[in-house]
Amino acid sequence: QVQLVESGGGLVQPGGSLRLSCIVSGNSIRSSNMGWYRQTPGNQRELVASITSGGTTNYADSVKDRFTVSRDNAKNTVALQMNSLKPEDTAVYYCKATGYFGTYWGQGTQVTVSS
């Protein structure tokens, strides 16, 4: 059974930084595409950033130049470094893994950007 667990969320002031981590158990992520999504109440889950098994990254326009996604296949983890945070970045952030084993989501971690 593949499980994803996110961590690193919290309350931060505008302009601050947070680093989210997602650790995957039950299967190697080496050949998987990984993504970070976020969702606010009443809205659909949206893609924030993704990284393919080959290391190609993709970002939502709203986070380009502020967020950086990375992966460590040896540790079976994927991270999202978030800098220059804005109140509109407030959301629940989810990690997603897509591989030969299927598609799995984490339980989410709350990020709140507020003064």
Side-chain angles (χ1 to χ4, degrees), residues 76-106:
N76 238 34
T77 59
V78 61
L80 184 68
Q81 177 67 42
M82 305 187 295
N83 299 327
S84 302
L85 282 161
K86 305 175 181 180
E88 50 264 42
D89 294 318
T90 295
V92 178
Y93 284 71
Y94 297 90
C95 178
K96 175 186 174 183
T98 304
Y100 66 90
F101 47 76
T103 298
Y104 291 86
W105 293 88

Side-chain angles (χ1 to χ4, degrees), residues 4 47 58 65 72 95:
L4 285 69
L47 175 68
N58 181 51
D65 300 323
D72 186 333
C95 178

Side-chain angles (χ1 to χ4, degrees), residues 23-42:
I23 185 164
V24 182
S25 60
N27 217 313
S28 171
I29 67 168
R30 193 171 300 276
S31 61
S32 304
N33 295 327
M34 304 296 297
W36 285 98
Y37 291 71
R38 65 187 180 188
Q39 188 171 24
T40 53

